[in-house]
Amino acid sequence: EVDRFSPLHDDCLPHDCAGLILGGGYPELYAQTLSLNTAIMQSIQRHCAQGMVIYAECGGLMYLSAGIICGDQRHPLLGILPSWVEMGDRLRRLGYVQAQLQQDCPLGQAGEVLHGHEYHYSHLLKEPAGWEPLYLCRDVRGAEPRAEGWWKGDVTASYVHLALEALPQTLDSWVKHCTQKENFA
């Protein structure tokens, strides 16, 4: 069952939430409001500590981070991914990618190739300590494969936007992982 919530307006996650998808978007536009909603951040942090499955992509990765740096302003966020994100003034990545899973994780089995795209101006200031690489990405231009995304326990985070509607096996794997963890609270 899918239930929606707003990290801008809600003060807690829906009851009995076993999994959380933090999709893409533009959190830098709402960084101050997101940062001030400590109630929802505490709810997500508490659920994460209890084993909730989280999938975060691009803007979701940014929300999962220690916070967003926009110019001379710092906006603390969830702090689950232990690195700050810094906004840049130029596009860092744009295009379609093939993302090969590097290890078994909630999204699937090591070696599976997922398809998605990247579009972002931000970057992590440092690699998140204690987190494993999630993907080996290849772009359509044939550039050298590169590591992208991070995984730790039940949390996956990446700048790659997956085309989940075209990847039913990935979505099924994630939902199965959620239902196995459903009684975490």
Side-chain angles (χ1 to χ4, degrees):
E1 181 178 324
V2 175
D3 201 354
R4 299 185 192 291
F5 81 103
S6 169
L8 291 169
H9 306 293
D10 292 337
D11 59 2
C12 65
L13 289 177
H15 182 66
D16 293 334
C17 181
L20 179 62
I21 295 176
L22 296 171
Y26 299 93
E28 65 274 16
L29 299 178
Y30 307 98
Q32 184 173 3
T33 304
L34 288 167
S35 185
L36 292 174
N37 190 349
T38 57
I40 191 68
M41 288 195 294
Q42 289 169 354
S43 177
I44 294 170
Q45 291 161 340
R46 187 172 47 255
H47 279 74
C48 181
Q50 294 172 346
M52 181 175 57
V53 182
I54 299 175
Y55 166 68
E57 63 180 29
C58 202
L61 171 147
M62 295 167 71
Y63 185 55
L64 207 63
S65 76
I68 299 174
I69 301 169
C70 297
D72 60 351
Q73 295 185 358
R74 289 178 169 257
H75 304 282
L77 294 173
L78 286 167
I80 294 168
L81 185 69
S83 179
W84 281 80
V85 170
E86 183 174 46
M87 291 304 301
D89 57 359
R90 66 177 179 82
L91 190 60
R92 296 191 61 94
R93 296 267 183 220
L94 173 66
Y96 293 108
V97 295
Q98 292 181 338
Q100 184 177 35
L101 289 171
Q102 294 303 287
Q103 302 191 37
D104 294 352
C105 70
L107 298 176
Q109 303 298 308
E112 287 183 46
V113 176
L114 311 178
H115 301 275
H117 75 276
E118 291 180 284
Y119 173 81
H120 58 96
Y121 285 79
S122 68
H123 69 281
L124 288 180
L125 289 183
K126 64 177 185 169
E127 295 286 317
W131 289 62
E132 299 291 327
L134 181 60
Y135 303 129
L136 187 62
C137 282
R138 291 174 172 83
D139 67 25
V140 295
R141 293 180 299 267
E144 283 295 310
R146 61 182 166 74
E148 169 48 46
W150 299 271
W151 166 67
K152 184 176 184 182
D154 295 314
V155 180
T156 54
S158 171
Y159 274 110
V160 174
H161 294 262
L162 292 178
L164 289 173
E165 66 280 359
L167 299 165
Q169 76 283 4
T170 302
L171 194 52
D172 288 347
S173 177
W174 190 80
V175 169
K176 181 179 178 184
H177 200 77
C178 290
T179 59
Q180 292 170 346
K181 306 284 288 187
E182 196 166 359
N183 298 316
F184 72 90

